[in-house]
Amino acid sequence: MSAADLRINGDRLWSSLMELAQIGATAKGGVKRLALTDLDKQGRDLVVSWGKQAGMSVTVDQIGNVFMRRAGRNSALPPVMSGSHIDTQPTGGKFDGNYGVLAALEVVRTLNDHHIETEAPIEVAFWTNEEGSRFVPVMMGSGVFCGAFTLETAYAAKDTEGKTVGEELERIGYKGAEIPGQHPIGVYFETHIEQGPVLEDADKVIGVVPGVLGLSWYDCVVTGMEAHAGPTPMGLRKDALQVATGIMQEVVNIGNRYPPYGRGTVGMVQVFPNSRNVIPGEVKFSIDLRNVSSELLDTMHQEILAFVEQTSNNSGLQISVERVSYYPPCPFHPDCVEAVRNATAALGYSAMDVVSGAGHDAIYTARLAPSGMIFVPCKDGISHNEIEDAKPEHLAAGCNVLLHAMLATAQRL
Ligand SMILES: [Zn+2]
């Protein structure tokens, strides 16, 4: 059989996904396996045992990231790595993260079945606490790995019961010896359910991911004057909500002005005193702006600031807007995007480009090594929910794309 005819075993991938989903299974068909709990340990142990059965050697770093290695002909080459995470949300599903890890494992199992050697080593990774549900920040393992924040910061993070990441890593036996970031990565691929509705809506099987949206978050406060809704004529009011709604509408206008990836959202609003017959004296609200390039996101940033200033001048009300969070857009490496595109075309799957609106470990690996992602549809675009679902044939297709993208890359390094 020629390498081009190679296919993964979709049934085996599916049954491994279902077996891992038993650990922390919820009554509604989801999974609750929070980072660094006993259940997380059980899940980790199971995946590691599968890795060992597939002949891989296992390394754990100081933040509990796990790397499972299949040797290549040239062990001096950095590995072609793929993975994701196996921790879940409290009411999470079976596929988010788990699919990326088990798809990478299935690639190795397939190479073993067919006795295929690669030039570069192949590695399967899972990163600690991607979800950020029990401990913040999110994407903790990959974040420490790429130096976004320190090991000490991560170790000190506490859950609601006051237990720290450092203690819990130690307790479950996954505080390894390797210094995070010292583990070489040649190229990194991550397969993931889309977590959005675009692929399903367009009836496509594979999402080629050119990058991840950057985001800017703001807190905005409009200060007016509380007064009685009856005696105060319209022209003599300082209505904070009336002024705030103009800004909220502009947030949406800005999102619409920069398609196809512009996003503008006001998701949180507080009105004071929030009383039926009082003119609102203060309104606090959030602004979330996103786009795919730094230039566009910066333009959107300038526009909202200018609009707020103009609104303040026109209304005479004091308005403060403060940027509280910023993640730059993350374009994936052209070689990785090309490898995914080529593998998809060779396999004959329907495909389209889908920019990721959610964060993934691949955002952080991209700071250290060429990285790329492969999306497959999930039912109704729903994730972070126990009803999260995906079709076996779509999961198999994404895994086949991963196999061929990794193979092509491993021979090229
Ligand atoms: Zn995920």
Side-chain angles (χ1 to χ4, degrees), residues 284-348:
K284 296 182 179 177
F285 60 99
S286 62
I287 298 173
D288 176 323
L289 298 179
R290 304 187 188 216
N291 214 319
V292 75
S293 81
S294 303
E295 292 73 24
L296 288 175
L297 191 54
D298 192 52
T299 303
M300 294 166 75
H301 169 75
Q302 300 299 343
E303 287 189 5
I304 194 64
L305 293 191
F307 189 87
V308 165
E309 192 182 343
Q310 183 197 330
T311 304
S312 180
N313 291 340
N314 293 348
S315 65
L317 268 57
Q318 191 196 325
I319 309 173
S320 74
V321 59
E322 187 193 349
R323 179 141 78 176
V324 292
S325 212
Y326 176 72
Y327 280 93
C330 170
F332 286 132
H333 196 283
D335 290 352
C336 294
V337 178
E338 245 353 81
V340 171
R341 211 183 288 291
N342 291 342
T344 304
L347 288 158

Short mmCIF file of all heavy atoms in Angstrom, two decimals, residues 284-348:
data_model
loop_
_atom_site.label_atom_id
_atom_site.label_comp_id
_atom_site.label_asym_id
_atom_site.label_seq_id
_atom_site.Cartn_x
_atom_site.Cartn_y
_atom_site.Cartn_z
N LYS A 284 -22.72 50.70 33.56
CA LYS A 284 -21.44 50.01 33.33
C LYS A 284 -21.69 48.90 32.33
O LYS A 284 -22.67 48.16 32.48
CB LYS A 284 -20.90 49.41 34.63
CG LYS A 284 -20.56 50.41 35.70
CD LYS A 284 -19.99 49.69 36.93
CE LYS A 284 -19.62 50.73 38.00
NZ LYS A 284 -19.12 50.08 39.23
N PHE A 285 -20.82 48.75 31.35
CA PHE A 285 -20.99 47.64 30.41
C PHE A 285 -19.66 47.19 29.84
O PHE A 285 -18.65 47.90 29.90
CB PHE A 285 -21.99 47.99 29.31
CG PHE A 285 -21.62 49.17 28.46
CD1 PHE A 285 -21.05 48.99 27.21
CD2 PHE A 285 -21.88 50.46 28.90
CE1 PHE A 285 -20.72 50.09 26.42
CE2 PHE A 285 -21.57 51.56 28.12
CZ PHE A 285 -20.98 51.38 26.87
N SER A 286 -19.67 45.97 29.32
CA SER A 286 -18.45 45.40 28.73
C SER A 286 -18.49 45.60 27.22
O SER A 286 -19.56 45.68 26.61
CB SER A 286 -18.38 43.90 29.04
OG SER A 286 -19.50 43.24 28.45
N ILE A 287 -17.30 45.67 26.63
CA ILE A 287 -17.17 45.70 25.16
C ILE A 287 -16.16 44.62 24.78
O ILE A 287 -15.10 44.51 25.40
CB ILE A 287 -16.67 47.07 24.67
CG1 ILE A 287 -17.66 48.19 25.03
CG2 ILE A 287 -16.41 47.05 23.16
CD1 ILE A 287 -17.17 49.59 24.72
N ASP A 288 -16.51 43.83 23.79
CA ASP A 288 -15.64 42.76 23.30
C ASP A 288 -15.50 42.95 21.80
O ASP A 288 -16.47 42.84 21.06
CB ASP A 288 -16.33 41.42 23.65
CG ASP A 288 -15.59 40.19 23.12
OD1 ASP A 288 -15.05 40.24 22.00
OD2 ASP A 288 -15.61 39.15 23.82
N LEU A 289 -14.30 43.32 21.35
CA LEU A 289 -14.02 43.50 19.92
C LEU A 289 -13.04 42.42 19.46
O LEU A 289 -12.08 42.12 20.17
CB LEU A 289 -13.40 44.87 19.64
CG LEU A 289 -14.24 46.11 19.98
CD1 LEU A 289 -13.43 47.38 19.66
CD2 LEU A 289 -15.55 46.12 19.21
N ARG A 290 -13.29 41.83 18.28
CA ARG A 290 -12.38 40.80 17.77
C ARG A 290 -12.16 40.98 16.28
O ARG A 290 -13.04 41.46 15.57
CB ARG A 290 -12.94 39.40 18.01
CG ARG A 290 -13.24 39.16 19.47
CD ARG A 290 -13.62 37.72 19.76
NE ARG A 290 -14.08 37.64 21.14
CZ ARG A 290 -13.86 36.62 21.97
NH1 ARG A 290 -13.22 35.56 21.53
NH2 ARG A 290 -14.29 36.64 23.20
N ASN A 291 -11.00 40.56 15.83
CA ASN A 291 -10.76 40.44 14.39
C ASN A 291 -9.52 39.60 14.15
O ASN A 291 -8.84 39.20 15.08
CB ASN A 291 -10.64 41.81 13.70
CG ASN A 291 -11.22 41.75 12.29
OD1 ASN A 291 -11.02 40.78 11.57
ND2 ASN A 291 -11.95 42.79 11.90
N VAL A 292 -9.27 39.35 12.88
CA VAL A 292 -8.26 38.36 12.53
C VAL A 292 -6.87 38.97 12.37
O VAL A 292 -5.88 38.27 12.46
CB VAL A 292 -8.70 37.61 11.25
CG1 VAL A 292 -8.51 38.48 10.01
CG2 VAL A 292 -7.97 36.28 11.09
N SER A 293 -6.79 40.28 12.11
CA SER A 293 -5.46 40.89 11.96
C SER A 293 -5.29 42.00 13.00
O SER A 293 -6.26 42.65 13.41
CB SER A 293 -5.26 41.47 10.56
OG SER A 293 -5.87 42.73 10.46
N SER A 294 -4.04 42.20 13.40
CA SER A 294 -3.74 43.25 14.38
C SER A 294 -4.15 44.61 13.85
O SER A 294 -4.65 45.45 14.61
CB SER A 294 -2.25 43.27 14.69
OG SER A 294 -1.83 42.04 15.15
N GLU A 295 -3.95 44.83 12.53
CA GLU A 295 -4.27 46.13 11.94
C GLU A 295 -5.77 46.42 12.08
O GLU A 295 -6.18 47.50 12.49
CB GLU A 295 -3.87 46.18 10.46
CG GLU A 295 -2.36 46.14 10.21
CD GLU A 295 -1.73 44.77 10.47
OE1 GLU A 295 -2.45 43.75 10.40
OE2 GLU A 295 -0.53 44.73 10.78
N LEU A 296 -6.59 45.42 11.70
CA LEU A 296 -8.03 45.63 11.77
C LEU A 296 -8.50 45.79 13.22
O LEU A 296 -9.33 46.65 13.52
CB LEU A 296 -8.77 44.45 11.11
CG LEU A 296 -8.67 44.40 9.59
CD1 LEU A 296 -9.33 43.13 9.06
CD2 LEU A 296 -9.33 45.62 8.96
N LEU A 297 -7.93 44.99 14.11
CA LEU A 297 -8.33 45.08 15.51
C LEU A 297 -7.93 46.43 16.08
O LEU A 297 -8.67 47.05 16.85
CB LEU A 297 -7.70 43.93 16.31
CG LEU A 297 -8.21 43.71 17.73
CD1 LEU A 297 -9.73 43.55 17.77
CD2 LEU A 297 -7.54 42.49 18.36
N ASP A 298 -6.78 46.93 15.65
CA ASP A 298 -6.33 48.24 16.12
C ASP A 298 -7.24 49.35 15.58
O ASP A 298 -7.56 50.31 16.29
CB ASP A 298 -4.88 48.48 15.71
CG ASP A 298 -4.30 49.68 16.43
OD1 ASP A 298 -4.40 49.70 17.67
OD2 ASP A 298 -3.78 50.60 15.76
N THR A 299 -7.65 49.22 14.32
CA THR A 299 -8.58 50.20 13.74
C THR A 299 -9.88 50.22 14.53
O THR A 299 -10.42 51.29 14.86
CB THR A 299 -8.88 49.83 12.27
OG1 THR A 299 -7.64 49.78 11.57
CG2 THR A 299 -9.79 50.85 11.63
N MET A 300 -10.39 49.04 14.86
CA MET A 300 -11.63 48.95 15.64
C MET A 300 -11.45 49.58 17.02
O MET A 300 -12.34 50.28 17.52
CB MET A 300 -12.05 47.47 15.76
CG MET A 300 -12.45 46.85 14.43
SD MET A 300 -12.55 45.03 14.46
CE MET A 300 -14.08 44.74 15.36
N HIS A 301 -10.28 49.36 17.60
CA HIS A 301 -9.93 49.95 18.90
C HIS A 301 -9.98 51.49 18.81
O HIS A 301 -10.61 52.16 19.63
CB HIS A 301 -8.54 49.45 19.29
CG HIS A 301 -7.92 50.15 20.46
ND1 HIS A 301 -8.31 49.93 21.76
CD2 HIS A 301 -6.92 51.08 20.52
CE1 HIS A 301 -7.59 50.69 22.57
NE2 HIS A 301 -6.74 51.39 21.85
N GLN A 302 -9.32 52.04 17.78
CA GLN A 302 -9.30 53.50 17.62
C GLN A 302 -10.70 54.05 17.42
O GLN A 302 -11.05 55.11 17.94
CB GLN A 302 -8.42 53.90 16.41
CG GLN A 302 -6.96 53.47 16.51
CD GLN A 302 -6.24 54.08 17.71
OE1 GLN A 302 -6.69 55.05 18.30
NE2 GLN A 302 -5.13 53.46 18.10
N GLU A 303 -11.50 53.33 16.66
CA GLU A 303 -12.85 53.81 16.35
C GLU A 303 -13.74 53.87 17.58
O GLU A 303 -14.52 54.81 17.75
CB GLU A 303 -13.49 52.94 15.26
CG GLU A 303 -12.87 53.22 13.91
CD GLU A 303 -13.60 52.54 12.76
OE1 GLU A 303 -14.66 51.91 12.98
OE2 GLU A 303 -13.08 52.64 11.63
N ILE A 304 -13.64 52.85 18.45
CA ILE A 304 -14.51 52.89 19.62
C ILE A 304 -14.05 54.01 20.57
O ILE A 304 -14.88 54.72 21.15
CB ILE A 304 -14.62 51.52 20.35
CG1 ILE A 304 -15.78 51.52 21.34
CG2 ILE A 304 -13.34 51.12 21.07
CD1 ILE A 304 -17.13 51.68 20.72
N LEU A 305 -12.73 54.20 20.68
CA LEU A 305 -12.24 55.28 21.55
C LEU A 305 -12.71 56.64 21.03
O LEU A 305 -13.17 57.49 21.81
CB LEU A 305 -10.70 55.26 21.63
CG LEU A 305 -10.06 54.07 22.32
CD1 LEU A 305 -8.57 54.32 22.55
CD2 LEU A 305 -10.74 53.72 23.63
N ALA A 306 -12.59 56.84 19.71
CA ALA A 306 -13.00 58.12 19.11
C ALA A 306 -14.51 58.34 19.30
O ALA A 306 -14.95 59.45 19.61
CB ALA A 306 -12.63 58.13 17.62
N PHE A 307 -15.27 57.26 19.12
CA PHE A 307 -16.73 57.39 19.26
C PHE A 307 -17.11 57.75 20.69
O PHE A 307 -18.00 58.58 20.92
CB PHE A 307 -17.42 56.09 18.83
CG PHE A 307 -18.91 56.22 18.75
CD1 PHE A 307 -19.51 56.67 17.59
CD2 PHE A 307 -19.73 55.92 19.84
CE1 PHE A 307 -20.89 56.82 17.51
CE2 PHE A 307 -21.11 56.06 19.77
CZ PHE A 307 -21.68 56.51 18.59
N VAL A 308 -16.43 57.14 21.64
CA VAL A 308 -16.72 57.43 23.05
C VAL A 308 -16.40 58.88 23.37
O VAL A 308 -17.18 59.59 24.03
CB VAL A 308 -15.93 56.47 23.98
CG1 VAL A 308 -15.92 56.98 25.41
CG2 VAL A 308 -16.53 55.07 23.93
N GLU A 309 -15.29 59.36 22.84
CA GLU A 309 -14.89 60.75 23.11
C GLU A 309 -15.91 61.73 22.51
O GLU A 309 -16.34 62.68 23.17
CB GLU A 309 -13.50 61.01 22.53
CG GLU A 309 -12.92 62.31 23.03
CD GLU A 309 -11.56 62.63 22.44
OE1 GLU A 309 -10.91 61.71 21.90
OE2 GLU A 309 -11.17 63.81 22.50
N GLN A 310 -16.30 61.43 21.28
CA GLN A 310 -17.28 62.27 20.60
C GLN A 310 -18.62 62.26 21.34
O GLN A 310 -19.26 63.30 21.51
CB GLN A 310 -17.43 61.73 19.18
CG GLN A 310 -18.35 62.52 18.27
CD GLN A 310 -18.74 61.67 17.06
OE1 GLN A 310 -17.97 60.81 16.61
NE2 GLN A 310 -19.94 61.89 16.55
N THR A 311 -19.02 61.08 21.79
CA THR A 311 -20.28 60.94 22.52
C THR A 311 -20.24 61.73 23.83
O THR A 311 -21.22 62.37 24.23
CB THR A 311 -20.57 59.46 22.81
OG1 THR A 311 -20.57 58.75 21.58
CG2 THR A 311 -21.92 59.28 23.49
N SER A 312 -19.10 61.69 24.49
CA SER A 312 -18.94 62.43 25.74
C SER A 312 -19.04 63.93 25.48
O SER A 312 -19.72 64.66 26.21
CB SER A 312 -17.60 62.07 26.37
OG SER A 312 -17.42 62.78 27.57
N ASN A 313 -18.38 64.40 24.41
CA ASN A 313 -18.44 65.83 24.06
C ASN A 313 -19.86 66.26 23.73
O ASN A 313 -20.32 67.31 24.18
CB ASN A 313 -17.51 66.12 22.87
CG ASN A 313 -16.04 66.00 23.26
OD1 ASN A 313 -15.71 66.05 24.44
ND2 ASN A 313 -15.17 65.80 22.28
N ASN A 314 -20.55 65.45 22.93
CA ASN A 314 -21.90 65.81 22.50
C ASN A 314 -22.90 65.80 23.65
O ASN A 314 -23.81 66.62 23.70
CB ASN A 314 -22.39 64.85 21.41
CG ASN A 314 -21.60 65.00 20.13
OD1 ASN A 314 -20.83 65.96 19.97
ND2 ASN A 314 -21.76 64.06 19.21
N SER A 315 -22.75 64.85 24.56
CA SER A 315 -23.75 64.67 25.61
C SER A 315 -23.41 65.45 26.87
O SER A 315 -24.28 65.68 27.71
CB SER A 315 -23.87 63.18 25.97
OG SER A 315 -22.65 62.73 26.54
N GLY A 316 -22.15 65.79 27.02
CA GLY A 316 -21.70 66.45 28.24
C GLY A 316 -21.57 65.49 29.42
O GLY A 316 -21.31 65.91 30.54
N LEU A 317 -21.76 64.17 29.16
CA LEU A 317 -21.63 63.20 30.25
C LEU A 317 -20.20 62.66 30.31
O LEU A 317 -19.52 62.56 29.28
CB LEU A 317 -22.60 62.03 30.04
CG LEU A 317 -23.96 62.17 30.71
CD1 LEU A 317 -24.66 63.44 30.25
CD2 LEU A 317 -24.81 60.95 30.45
N GLN A 318 -19.78 62.31 31.50
CA GLN A 318 -18.46 61.73 31.65
C GLN A 318 -18.52 60.24 31.28
O GLN A 318 -19.39 59.51 31.76
CB GLN A 318 -17.99 61.87 33.10
CG GLN A 318 -16.53 61.53 33.30
CD GLN A 318 -16.19 61.31 34.76
OE1 GLN A 318 -16.76 61.98 35.63
NE2 GLN A 318 -15.31 60.36 35.01
N ILE A 319 -17.61 59.82 30.40
CA ILE A 319 -17.59 58.41 29.98
C ILE A 319 -16.15 57.92 30.08
O ILE A 319 -15.24 58.52 29.51
CB ILE A 319 -18.06 58.24 28.52
CG1 ILE A 319 -19.40 58.96 28.30
CG2 ILE A 319 -18.17 56.76 28.16
CD1 ILE A 319 -19.86 58.98 26.86
N SER A 320 -15.96 56.82 30.80
CA SER A 320 -14.62 56.24 30.84
C SER A 320 -14.64 54.90 30.12
O SER A 320 -15.62 54.16 30.20
CB SER A 320 -14.15 56.06 32.28
OG SER A 320 -14.81 54.97 32.86
N VAL A 321 -13.60 54.64 29.34
CA VAL A 321 -13.48 53.34 28.69
C VAL A 321 -12.04 52.85 28.90
O VAL A 321 -11.08 53.57 28.64
CB VAL A 321 -13.87 53.40 27.19
CG1 VAL A 321 -13.02 54.37 26.41
CG2 VAL A 321 -13.84 52.02 26.56
N GLU A 322 -11.92 51.65 29.45
CA GLU A 322 -10.60 51.14 29.80
C GLU A 322 -10.41 49.75 29.20
O GLU A 322 -11.28 48.88 29.35
CB GLU A 322 -10.50 51.05 31.33
CG GLU A 322 -9.12 50.69 31.82
CD GLU A 322 -9.11 50.31 33.31
OE1 GLU A 322 -10.14 50.53 33.99
OE2 GLU A 322 -8.11 49.74 33.75
N ARG A 323 -9.29 49.58 28.51
CA ARG A 323 -9.01 48.24 27.97
C ARG A 323 -8.51 47.36 29.11
O ARG A 323 -7.52 47.67 29.76
CB ARG A 323 -7.98 48.32 26.85
CG ARG A 323 -7.65 46.96 26.28
CD ARG A 323 -7.47 46.96 24.78
NE ARG A 323 -6.18 47.47 24.39
CZ ARG A 323 -5.76 47.50 23.12
NH1 ARG A 323 -6.53 47.04 22.15
NH2 ARG A 323 -4.59 48.00 22.82
N VAL A 324 -9.18 46.22 29.33
CA VAL A 324 -8.82 45.36 30.46
C VAL A 324 -8.17 44.05 30.02
O VAL A 324 -7.61 43.32 30.84
CB VAL A 324 -10.05 45.04 31.34
CG1 VAL A 324 -10.52 46.30 32.05
CG2 VAL A 324 -11.19 44.44 30.52
N SER A 325 -8.21 43.75 28.73
CA SER A 325 -7.59 42.51 28.26
C SER A 325 -7.30 42.61 26.78
O SER A 325 -8.07 43.24 26.03
CB SER A 325 -8.56 41.35 28.51
OG SER A 325 -7.85 40.17 28.78
N TYR A 326 -6.18 42.01 26.36
CA TYR A 326 -5.84 42.03 24.94
C TYR A 326 -5.07 40.77 24.56
O TYR A 326 -4.07 40.45 25.18
CB TYR A 326 -4.99 43.26 24.60
CG TYR A 326 -4.51 43.29 23.17
CD1 TYR A 326 -5.41 43.56 22.12
CD2 TYR A 326 -3.18 43.02 22.84
CE1 TYR A 326 -4.99 43.57 20.81
CE2 TYR A 326 -2.75 43.04 21.52
CZ TYR A 326 -3.66 43.31 20.51
OH TYR A 326 -3.25 43.31 19.20
N TYR A 327 -5.60 40.04 23.59
CA TYR A 327 -4.84 38.94 22.99
C TYR A 327 -4.67 39.25 21.51
O TYR A 327 -5.67 39.45 20.81
CB TYR A 327 -5.59 37.61 23.12
CG TYR A 327 -5.47 36.96 24.47
CD1 TYR A 327 -6.43 37.19 25.45
CD2 TYR A 327 -4.39 36.12 24.77
CE1 TYR A 327 -6.33 36.60 26.70
CE2 TYR A 327 -4.29 35.54 26.02
CZ TYR A 327 -5.26 35.78 26.98
OH TYR A 327 -5.15 35.20 28.21
N PRO A 328 -3.45 39.33 21.03
CA PRO A 328 -3.28 39.63 19.60
C PRO A 328 -3.80 38.49 18.74
O PRO A 328 -3.82 37.34 19.19
CB PRO A 328 -1.76 39.78 19.44
CG PRO A 328 -1.16 39.05 20.59
CD PRO A 328 -2.17 39.09 21.71
N PRO A 329 -4.24 38.79 17.52
CA PRO A 329 -4.62 37.71 16.60
C PRO A 329 -3.45 36.77 16.39
O PRO A 329 -2.29 37.20 16.46
CB PRO A 329 -4.97 38.45 15.31
CG PRO A 329 -5.24 39.85 15.72
CD PRO A 329 -4.35 40.11 16.91
N CYS A 330 -3.74 35.51 16.16
CA CYS A 330 -2.67 34.53 15.97
C CYS A 330 -2.83 33.88 14.60
O CYS A 330 -3.61 32.95 14.43
CB CYS A 330 -2.75 33.47 17.07
SG CYS A 330 -1.67 32.06 16.78
N PRO A 331 -2.11 34.41 13.60
CA PRO A 331 -2.14 33.74 12.30
C PRO A 331 -1.30 32.47 12.38
O PRO A 331 -0.21 32.48 12.96
CB PRO A 331 -1.50 34.76 11.35
CG PRO A 331 -0.73 35.70 12.22
CD PRO A 331 -1.23 35.57 13.63
N PHE A 332 -1.81 31.35 11.86
CA PHE A 332 -1.00 30.13 11.88
C PHE A 332 0.02 30.15 10.75
O PHE A 332 -0.09 30.93 9.79
CB PHE A 332 -1.90 28.90 11.82
CG PHE A 332 -2.60 28.64 13.13
CD1 PHE A 332 -3.97 28.39 13.18
CD2 PHE A 332 -1.89 28.64 14.33
CE1 PHE A 332 -4.61 28.16 14.39
CE2 PHE A 332 -2.52 28.41 15.54
CZ PHE A 332 -3.88 28.18 15.57
N HIS A 333 1.05 29.29 10.89
CA HIS A 333 2.17 29.30 9.95
C HIS A 333 1.70 28.86 8.56
O HIS A 333 1.00 27.84 8.44
CB HIS A 333 3.27 28.38 10.46
CG HIS A 333 4.58 28.61 9.80
ND1 HIS A 333 4.86 28.16 8.53
CD2 HIS A 333 5.68 29.29 10.22
CE1 HIS A 333 6.09 28.53 8.21
NE2 HIS A 333 6.61 29.22 9.21
N PRO A 334 2.10 29.61 7.52
CA PRO A 334 1.65 29.26 6.16
C PRO A 334 1.97 27.81 5.78
O PRO A 334 1.16 27.16 5.10
CB PRO A 334 2.42 30.22 5.26
CG PRO A 334 2.91 31.31 6.14
CD PRO A 334 2.93 30.81 7.55
N ASP A 335 3.11 27.28 6.22
CA ASP A 335 3.46 25.89 5.89
C ASP A 335 2.46 24.91 6.50
O ASP A 335 2.11 23.89 5.89
CB ASP A 335 4.86 25.54 6.41
CG ASP A 335 5.95 26.27 5.64
OD1 ASP A 335 5.63 26.92 4.62
OD2 ASP A 335 7.12 26.21 6.09
N CYS A 336 2.02 25.21 7.72
CA CYS A 336 1.07 24.32 8.40
C CYS A 336 -0.30 24.43 7.74
O CYS A 336 -0.99 23.41 7.54
CB CYS A 336 0.96 24.68 9.88
SG CYS A 336 2.48 24.38 10.78
N VAL A 337 -0.72 25.65 7.44
CA VAL A 337 -2.02 25.84 6.78
C VAL A 337 -2.00 25.12 5.43
O VAL A 337 -2.96 24.43 5.07
CB VAL A 337 -2.32 27.35 6.60
CG1 VAL A 337 -3.64 27.56 5.88
CG2 VAL A 337 -2.35 28.06 7.97
N GLU A 338 -0.89 25.24 4.72
CA GLU A 338 -0.74 24.58 3.42
C GLU A 338 -0.79 23.06 3.58
O GLU A 338 -1.41 22.36 2.78
CB GLU A 338 0.61 24.98 2.79
CG GLU A 338 0.58 25.79 1.52
CD GLU A 338 -0.79 26.01 0.87
OE1 GLU A 338 -1.50 26.92 1.35
OE2 GLU A 338 -1.14 25.30 -0.08
N ALA A 339 -0.10 22.54 4.58
CA ALA A 339 -0.07 21.09 4.81
C ALA A 339 -1.48 20.56 5.06
O ALA A 339 -1.86 19.50 4.55
CB ALA A 339 0.85 20.75 6.00
N VAL A 340 -2.27 21.31 5.82
CA VAL A 340 -3.66 20.90 6.09
C VAL A 340 -4.49 20.99 4.81
O VAL A 340 -5.25 20.08 4.48
CB VAL A 340 -4.27 21.78 7.21
CG1 VAL A 340 -5.77 21.51 7.35
CG2 VAL A 340 -3.55 21.55 8.53
N ARG A 341 -4.30 22.07 4.08
CA ARG A 341 -5.06 22.27 2.84
C ARG A 341 -4.73 21.16 1.83
O ARG A 341 -5.63 20.57 1.21
CB ARG A 341 -4.68 23.64 2.24
CG ARG A 341 -5.80 24.30 1.46
CD ARG A 341 -5.35 25.61 0.83
NE ARG A 341 -5.14 26.72 1.75
CZ ARG A 341 -6.12 27.34 2.41
NH1 ARG A 341 -7.37 26.96 2.25
NH2 ARG A 341 -5.85 28.34 3.21
N ASN A 342 -3.45 20.85 1.69
CA ASN A 342 -3.03 19.82 0.73
C ASN A 342 -3.56 18.44 1.11
O ASN A 342 -4.03 17.69 0.26
CB ASN A 342 -1.49 19.76 0.64
CG ASN A 342 -0.93 21.01 -0.03
OD1 ASN A 342 -1.65 21.74 -0.71
ND2 ASN A 342 0.35 21.27 0.18
N ALA A 343 -3.44 18.11 2.40
CA ALA A 343 -3.92 16.80 2.85
C ALA A 343 -5.43 16.68 2.62
O ALA A 343 -5.92 15.65 2.16
CB ALA A 343 -3.59 16.61 4.33
N THR A 344 -6.16 17.75 2.91
CA THR A 344 -7.61 17.75 2.73
C THR A 344 -7.97 17.53 1.26
O THR A 344 -8.85 16.72 0.93
CB THR A 344 -8.22 19.08 3.22
OG1 THR A 344 -7.83 19.28 4.58
CG2 THR A 344 -9.73 19.06 3.13
N ALA A 345 -7.26 18.25 0.38
CA ALA A 345 -7.53 18.13 -1.06
C ALA A 345 -7.21 16.72 -1.55
O ALA A 345 -7.99 16.12 -2.30
CB ALA A 345 -6.73 19.17 -1.83
N ALA A 346 -6.07 16.17 -1.11
CA ALA A 346 -5.67 14.84 -1.56
C ALA A 346 -6.67 13.78 -1.10
O ALA A 346 -6.91 12.79 -1.80
CB ALA A 346 -4.27 14.51 -1.03
N LEU A 347 -7.27 14.00 0.07
CA LEU A 347 -8.23 13.03 0.61
C LEU A 347 -9.63 13.24 0.03
O LEU A 347 -10.50 12.39 0.19
CB LEU A 347 -8.28 13.15 2.14
CG LEU A 347 -7.04 12.62 2.87
CD1 LEU A 347 -6.91 13.24 4.25
CD2 LEU A 347 -7.08 11.10 2.97
N GLY A 348 -9.84 14.37 -0.62
CA GLY A 348 -11.11 14.62 -1.30
C GLY A 348 -12.24 15.07 -0.40
O GLY A 348 -13.41 14.95 -0.76
#
